Amino acid sequence: MKKTNTKLKHLSFIFLVLFTIGKTTQAQTANQNLPYSFQFYQKLNKSVYDINSSFHSSIKGYYVDDSLLVNRYQSLMKLGTDTLNKRSWVRRKLTEEHLINLNGDDYNVYLDFLPDFQIGKEFDESKTTWLNTRGFQIGGDVGKQFSFYASAYENQGVFANYVTDFINTNEVVPSEMTGKLGGTTKDWSYATALLSFTANKHINLALGYDKNFIGDGYRSMLLSDVAANYSFLRLRATLGNVQYQTIFAYMLDPGADRLTTDRRLGDRGKWMAAHYLDWNVTKRFSAGFFQAVTWADAEVEGKRGFDFNYIHPFIFLRSVEGANTTSPDKMRLGINLKYEILDKTTLYGQFMFDEFTAKEVFSNKGYWANKYAMQIGFRGSDLFKVPNLNYLAEYNAAKPYTYAHFDRVSNYAEMNQPLAHPFGANFREFLGLLNYSYKRFDFQGQMIYANYGADPAGLNYGKNIFLSYETRVQDYGVKTGQGIKTNLFFTEAKASYLINPKYNLRAEIGGIIRKESSSVNTQNTALVTFGLRSTFRNLYRDF
């Protein structure tokens, strides 16, 4: 009881300080959150990757009323709007307005219905796929300091075989949540929530059940939105060319062994403390420094809870502990770099240290504990001087056993999904993306080629981050791609027509060709889908 009271005092003190700051300093904005969606965010490229701005592009999601984004965002939200206001009420609600919009002197609230209806054909299996999602979103701001956003979805669906295999193996719908997943038809729910408090123009505090993303690429090797939602407290502080973000999160691991037979105690959990410092060194060059530590909420000796040793705001302060392979906590360090080489072209990269042994770094013996992940890519807009033609090319790789730990609960994952790259570890990936928008029409093409080493039954070659690295097959001679050599080719094309920009309601047709092949198995997928889709969120199916 004494420990619990101490924790409550700590949290109460934090909120009291921020509230006091907010009272004494007039806030400039309520900082309305824009849920992260790559499909939508790339339309902000001209504002985000501008050599004349100092925007902190690697920290997502963005706030839509940021002075560097607000004009571009508002123009996208008014796409196709009838400025003469001659359209009927029904047509305005269908094509340009929120379903419900309440405005007052010091508040704004909106509410929308979010459908996601799809039907498709998987030709190789002569199988009909479908998705029936009914959702809603509610958001707005109260005064100049508080904003909020929440969404919820009820889903049923039948997926292509490779997605079904993933669900059956991991007991979770990719990028979403678990549910009634035992039969051919999957049934699950999904929800998000975020409450934002802007103390002043320098400090923002958010309490959420959502995701976070750090990086300038399509993937992130530091912190991605691939996994399911989790609870977190997030602090962002901005001072000049520096922005600092701290995330304290609580996550679940339903696949971990339980410490008790009492089912009422639920799944085992873990905590994460992630610190990220982004510094715009010049208008062209920025550098970010990342640190994340994960630890089990409950251990053999009993419940541990949140460790207030990690509440400090200083990055890299406890890095020495992360190098200790016997520590029950797992530390990871990383950097994120960005350089705007041309007016509309940006070079970016990431490097993440999971663990290394200094004497083995230059030995060239393939020591297992020298684990890291990397990314390099470039992206831009107006390719070939065509307005709104966005592009991205990227390379990602992770050494075997990266993101794993000797204790599954403290690995770098949440709800049976990685917190970084969807492939886990022991892979190389090349990907390219093209997107073109013309008025309400949007076209996107994506291509991925990857090779990785799969794990044979009963052996751990380093791809599955949920296996303890103490079960590794060898200490030396470890190399990327070891195990069952597997090649993956994935390509997807989508064309859509935007019906209502306020909640991204669109009619969409898409196609996927996927081939996964190895010496023991080949799986081919050819899929075409038609749908009425909405919302701003990333649901990854490209794995």
Side-chain angles (χ1 to χ4, degrees), residues 33 35-36 148-153 172 175-179 188-196 206-212 225 227-234 247-254 267 414-415 417 536-537:
N33 180 68
Y36 178 51
F148 62 93
Y149 178 84
S151 64
Y153 310 85
V172 63
S175 301
E176 297 188 66
M177 192 53 70
T178 188
W188 73 101
S189 299
Y190 179 88
T192 69
L194 190 78
L195 177 63
S196 171
L207 182 66
Y209 181 71
D210 206 338
K211 307 177 185 182
N212 295 275
D225 60 340
N229 290 346
Y230 48 87
S231 301
F232 64 85
L233 176 68
R234 183 178 72 200
I247 299 170
F248 302 109
Y250 185 74
M251 305 171 179
L252 295 176
D253 188 350
D267 299 322
E414 195 270 336
M415 194 58 71
Q417 299 172 91
F536 304 95
R537 56 179 179 157

Side-chain angles (χ1 to χ4, degrees), residues 52 97 99 160 169 171 205 255 262 286 347 349 436 446-447 457 493 496 525 534:
N52 296 314
E97 295 181 1
L99 180 61
T169 300
E171 299 181 344
L205 182 70
D262 189 348
S286 68
L347 181 69
Y436 175 63
Q446 177 183 1
M447 186 175 293
S496 63
T525 301
S534 64

